[in-house]
Amino acid sequence: MTTPLLRGLNPEQLAAVTLPHESALILAGAGSGKTRVLTTRIAHLIQSGLASPSGIFAVTFTNKAAKEMLARLAALLPINTRGMWIGTFHGLANRMLRAHHREAGLPALFQILDSADQLGAIKRLLKALNVDDEKYPPKQLQHFINGCKEEGLRAHMVEAFDPYSRKQRELYAAYDEQCQREGVVDFAELLLRSYELLQRETALRQHYQSRFRHILVDEFQDTNHLQYQWLKLLAGEQAAVFAVGDDDQSIYAFRGARVGNMADFERDFQVEKVIRLEQNYRSHGNILDAANALIRHNQSRLGKNLWTAEGSGEPIRVFEAHSDYEEAGFIVDEVKALQREGVPLSGIALLYRSNAQSRVLEHALFNAAVPYRVYGGLRFFERQEIKHALAYLRLIGNSNDDGALLRVINFPTRGIGARSLESLQEIARSEGISLWQAAQLKRMSGKAGATISAFTALIESMRETCAALPLPEQVEHMLDHSGLVAHYKSEKEGADRLENLNELINAAAGFELEHSAEDVDGAPDALTAFLTHASLEAGEHQAEAGQEALQLMTVHAAKGLEFHAVFISGLEEGLFPHENAAKERDGVEEERRLMYVAITRARRRLYISFADSRMLHGQLRYGIASRFLEELPPQLLKRINHSGAAQPMQQPAASSAATGASGWHIGQAVSHPKFGPGIIINSEGRGADARVQVSFSHAGVKWLALEYAKLEAS
DNA sequence: TTCCAACTGTTTTTT
DNA sequence: ACAGTTGGAA
């Protein structure tokens, strides 16, 4: 038991890593060394000869997690991890479908639609079928279709008792037909197809079942119904499934995650050992005590209590601000103080419940010249210009991809207007063929026919040239000959886009370098492999990483990360827990888990702040402290105000949005001789120009000049 | 085809 | 507040 691999593991970790060949559930608390256990288990199985690298199937949710697992494994063992079945659910499903595309009923060059592509496909479908998109909103339909697929249901299996549902079901069926015709597959389809493939093809199923004797699942609490069924099918009777998860960190129920899979798993796989990893190596005691106390308020839990060998550490600092503006000011000051103490900005996180909250915070940080980096938002492969470029590439790979064709047939403009397109679509529909094939028929007359022919000829010529070129040159050739580069060169604000297109060539070069020429996850050629890569991992959330900056992100985005110091902002009822959550079943419990995740991100110092008033949707809203604050043991907290004194203040801080020395402040109750009682909700200007906005109980909202209005405090 | 004004919907999000 | 989308006019 003293092989170097196992050294330094605590008893629970060791037990998990060295479990015999049986299915097990590992309840891994935050900061308990989950990834280490997972990778060490794989390494242990291989090293001790209990499994060969090819007999291991390890699945994660994100590419980041998969990459980390591979990297750590490579560091533990001198083996080639390439070719091992370690990846994301979608990545592995894709690999399986590529390998058996014929049996799965897919073309060899099938392309993957991301969410935006899928939505576009649905809009196109509705238009083609003349369906009122107000009655059947595309977004809702997308949600419906994905929901069905994630339940493992094909259109014909969906129950529908009213006309509306029947229509939805019909549209689902039509959507699947359209995808099949075009040779494209959406995210949920990757999993469903691969599930059906295993279910239908007995020999194939048995092959994989006997091959993968060890299946390891990361973040098991986030699996949805289909993912669980898929794993069950793959495991068969022989495999040992090693499921690692934390029910207290389940924060994705809103997108279909079923924590219930954990209980089902215990039953379905006759799990005898539930191992709890409760020793936390990340945070000081006070932080863990707070997290434990909070999460105890949840009813449905498997039960777990984090502890640490470290001391209690500092108290949790709680700050009540008058406004979101003042809250931001407080955070800026504290960040600067931490910086002075020598804490690097990259070790500090500023978390919020919803993205909209970042604006005020960013504003304050910008004004204070504190470098920061916001996570979330547009990713590289989701940018408009990149999407256009990828559409050209997709069309080169697969001419039947109507979505790709429609995206670029008139971009840059080639004089192919709506009329020409409509007649082309008419031909395609009546013949049951793709737009490309319809264009080949050359049935269109006159100028429209000529311009369309010119387009198909262009694509054909690019296809021929590209066939002989290495991937980066293919991309470059396409960019030059499609007219994209010329188009963005002539556009006044096209410089960034040009840069991104250039970056696409680099991305292709990097991709080719990393994945040796042939056989990337079973893709038939480099271009398809690259396009798959673009769909399956849309790239970094923000381009310039590495730079020393404060880390801003939502609590969701912070899951899995840790920081020396953490600020959790906006702890108000309605915001956190979010008001919408109260309406959903178990909504508040999920919000509480979210808060639990937020707290457990902090290693040494934790700030929690809330504001009595904040701008939301363009309106000033008054809030009260979140119930989650009351659920934290008071003895762990230190309440502070802006000046650092221990008691809450009477007067607004001088730097706040209040009207300076005039004595009025936002939130103050006032009365007016004519309008009656009200509350100050906003202010602007100074001295003689000072005005306040007052929300009167009976007279509505009004702006009043302080110099003239006879306002009285009340 | 292009541009601007009006309109909308704003929790969280990976693949 | 604000960004993204759409519909109509130029």
Side-chain angles (χ1 to χ4, degrees):
Chain A
M1 276 308 163
T2 47
T3 79
L5 197 58
L6 305 179
R7 203 165 292 152
L9 295 174
N10 70 35
E12 293 75 29
Q13 291 175 331
L14 184 68
V17 165
T18 59
L19 266 180
H21 190 266
E22 64 187 37
S23 290
L25 180 61
I26 315 300
L27 278 184
S32 65
K34 175 196 72 167
T35 310
R36 183 175 180 202
V37 165
L38 217 37
T39 47
T40 312
R41 164 104 179 142
I42 297 175
H44 168 73
L45 288 171
I46 295 172
Q47 195 183 53
S48 55
L50 293 167
S52 70
S54 64
I56 302 238
F57 187 96
V59 62
T60 65
F61 274 86
T62 64
N63 292 297
K64 199 173 152 209
K67 270 187 202 143
E68 187 179 349
M69 202 184 279
L70 282 168
R72 287 169 79 155
L73 196 56
L76 290 177
L77 285 183
I79 55 163
N80 184 2
T81 53
R82 178 165 304 167
M84 282 185 78
W85 284 66
I86 296 180
T88 63
F89 276 97
H90 295 85
L92 295 176
N94 169 65
R95 190 191 285 195
M96 194 176 286
L97 292 177
R98 295 279 173 203
H100 312 287
H101 69 267
R102 216 180 300 274
E103 295 92 320
L106 288 170
L109 296 176
F110 74 84
Q111 303 289 345
I112 299 166
L113 301 184
D114 69 16
S115 308
D117 298 331
Q118 184 189 33
L119 187 62
I122 290 171
K123 285 180 178 165
R124 202 147 42 78
L125 178 82
L126 294 182
K127 207 167 276 174
L129 296 180
N130 252 320
V131 174
D132 181 4
D133 61 1
E134 303 226 314
K135 197 167 174 205
Y136 298 93
K139 283 229 177 72
Q140 207 178 300
L141 207 52
Q142 181 180 33
H143 183 77
F144 170 77
I145 291 171
N146 290 336
C148 290
K149 290 190 179 186
E150 280 163 15
E151 285 297 311
L153 300 174
R154 287 296 176 189
H156 67 86
M157 301 152 79
V158 176
E159 292 191 343
F161 301 109
D162 58 290
Y164 190 86
S165 322
R166 275 196 286 274
K167 185 71 181 175
Q168 272 194 322
R169 183 174 64 184
E170 183 193 321
L171 293 170
Y172 173 19
Y175 165 78
D176 266 0
E177 277 166 34
Q178 175 179 285
C179 288
Q180 185 64 28
R181 206 165 47 237
E182 297 176 9
V184 295
V185 164
D186 62 52
F187 287 137
E189 183 72 21
L190 282 172
L191 279 161
L192 183 53
R193 271 289 169 121
S194 136
Y195 171 76
E196 290 170 342
L197 175 73
L198 289 172
Q199 201 174 43
R200 185 166 13 102
E201 305 289 329
T202 309
L204 208 63
R205 181 175 67 246
Q206 285 169 347
H207 162 76
Y208 281 115
Q209 284 178 344
S210 60
R211 171 174 174 179
F212 298 127
R213 304 285 316 285
H214 288 275
I215 295 177
L216 301 95
V217 194
D218 189 21
E219 304 278 16
F220 188 72
Q221 78 283 351
D222 288 338
T223 51
N224 64 32
H225 181 78
L226 179 58
Q227 285 158 345
Y228 180 57
Q229 294 304 320
W230 189 64
L231 288 171
K232 239 167 98 172
L233 197 54
L234 202 58
E237 298 296 318
Q238 303 136 53
V241 178
F242 189 83
V244 181
D246 181 359
D247 54 324
D248 290 332
Q249 292 189 70
S250 159
I251 55 173
Y252 287 112
F254 74 91
R255 66 170 198 217
R258 270 191 84 244
V259 210
N261 284 346
M262 297 183 95
D264 288 357
F265 174 68
E266 277 191 70
R267 196 192 56 228
D268 296 347
F269 287 82
Q270 292 103 41
V271 170
E272 285 175 25
K273 294 230 171 50
V274 175
I275 295 179
R276 286 179 163 73
L277 305 181
E278 296 176 300
Q279 181 173 5
N280 173 293
Y281 296 94
R282 180 185 295 157
S283 312
H284 272 166
N286 284 342
I287 294 170
L288 290 184
D289 289 348
N292 284 329
L294 177 89
I295 204 65
R296 262 199 295 277
H297 287 83
N298 271 4
Q299 299 301 310
S300 51
R301 300 179 63 209
L302 297 176
K304 193 167 33 54
N305 224 27
L306 296 178
W307 62 277
T308 177
E310 304 259 356
S312 305
E314 303 177 5
I316 292 155
R317 294 156 162 83
V318 175
F319 179 67
E320 171 173 7
H322 287 97
S323 64
D324 47 355
Y325 187 87
E326 192 192 42
E327 180 187 39
F330 165 75
I331 291 170
V332 167
D333 290 347
E334 290 296 324
V335 166
K336 285 183 157 172
L338 282 164
Q339 241 184 324
R340 281 194 297 274
E341 286 173 34
V343 181
L345 281 178
S346 57
I348 310 174
L350 173 43
L351 309 183
Y352 34 81
R353 177 65 203 4
S354 59
N355 286 305
Q357 288 167 252
S358 77
R359 249 192 47 249
V360 183
L361 300 167
E362 285 186 66
H363 186 79
L365 290 166
F366 182 85
N367 285 338
V370 176
Y372 65 90
R373 187 175 162 210
V374 187
Y375 288 78
L378 255 200
R379 293 146 90 201
F380 182 70
F381 287 108
E382 292 169 352
R383 290 166 194 281
Q384 184 212 106
E385 63 277 18
I386 300 299
K387 279 281 189 191
H388 280 126
L390 293 177
Y392 276 104
L393 295 176
R394 270 165 58 177
L395 207 50
I396 289 171
N398 168 15
S399 5
N400 291 335
D401 191 334
D402 285 1
L405 183 139
L406 283 171
R407 184 170 193 115
V408 295
I409 192 168
N410 201 33
F411 191 96
T413 49
R414 310 189 160 82
I416 302 177
R419 308 158 292 289
S420 319
L421 268 181
E422 242 161 67
S423 41
L424 194 62
Q425 281 170 308
E426 178 53 41
I427 297 171
R429 192 164 22 168
S430 65
E431 301 287 323
I433 54 179
S434 68
L435 292 169
W436 178 270
Q437 290 164 331
Q440 301 297 101
L441 291 181
K442 298 200 192 277
R443 207 183 281 167
M444 317 244 325
S445 53
K447 219 172 106 198
T451 47
I452 288 178
S453 296
F455 175 74
T456 55
L458 170 70
I459 300 292
E460 282 289 9
S461 117
M462 292 201 292
R463 181 177 299 144
E464 272 166 42
T465 313
C466 285
L469 291 176
L471 181 61
E473 277 80 32
Q474 290 185 40
V475 176
E476 199 172 359
H477 180 265
M478 176 277 300
L479 288 176
D480 291 339
H481 291 79
S482 62
L484 281 179
V485 167
H487 175 264
Y488 286 119
K489 256 187 190 149
S490 70
E491 207 172 57
K492 31 191 186 307
E493 302 190 2
D496 279 354
R497 299 196 189 276
L498 274 177
E499 209 173 294
N500 286 330
L501 289 177
N502 220 17
E503 194 53 42
L504 185 65
I505 303 175
N506 294 337
F511 179 81
E512 189 163 65
L513 213 64
E514 217 172 299
H515 309 260
S516 62
E518 82 259 52
D519 195 42
V520 181
D521 271 354
D525 59 53
L527 180 57
T528 305
F530 183 58
L531 290 171
T532 299
H533 163 81
S535 300
L536 248 32
E537 37 188 315
E540 292 289 325
H541 250 309
Q542 195 143 58
E544 357 121 38
Q547 162 206 14
E548 184 57 24
L550 179 67
Q551 313 282 301
L552 267 67
M553 66 192 88
T554 63
V555 180
H556 282 92
K559 192 179 163 200
L561 306 176
E562 61 175 59
F563 305 91
H564 177 93
V566 169
F567 292 83
I568 311 174
S569 65
L571 256 273
E572 294 134 45
E573 280 295 306
L575 237 203
F576 200 178
H578 196 276
E579 53 194 344
N580 294 355
K583 300 170 200 150
E584 285 156 37
R585 199 164 56 85
D586 300 331
V588 174
E589 295 223 340
E590 176 145 324
E591 294 287 304
R592 192 175 281 111
R593 291 193 291 268
L594 200 48
M595 183 64 187
Y596 176 80
V597 167
I599 293 173
T600 52
R601 297 311 95 196
R603 279 203 292 265
R604 295 294 174 257
R605 186 175 290 193
L606 178 61
Y607 293 88
I608 300 176
S609 58
F610 64 102
D612 302 334
S613 70
R614 78 169 60 240
M615 281 307 255
L616 201 63
H617 307 326
Q619 278 206 310
L620 195 74
R621 302 235 299 203
Y622 293 92
I624 57 167
S626 165
R627 69 191 75 180
F628 298 153
L629 269 172
E630 331 271 279
E631 292 171 5
L632 303 178
Q635 67 272 18
L636 302 177
L637 313 179
K638 177 178 162 197
R639 297 201 172 247
I640 47 176
N641 68 23
H642 212 169
S643 56
Q647 281 308 305
M649 53 267 117
Q650 232 25 49
Q651 288 296 311
S655 64
S656 82
T659 319
S662 69
W664 304 107
H665 64 84
I666 286 172
Q668 186 173 6
V670 294
S671 76
H672 185 274
K674 206 145 121 207
F675 303 129
I679 216 164
I680 297 181
I681 59 170
N682 205 351
S683 67
E684 65 174 33
R686 302 235 146 217
D689 296 326
R691 303 195 307 147
V692 292
Q693 194 181 25
V694 182
S695 172
F696 291 103
S697 318
H698 308 294
V701 178
K702 295 190 190 308
W703 278 103
L704 303 170
L706 279 174
E707 202 176 358
Y708 307 110
K710 298 182 185 70
L711 270 190
E712 271 180 36
S714 64

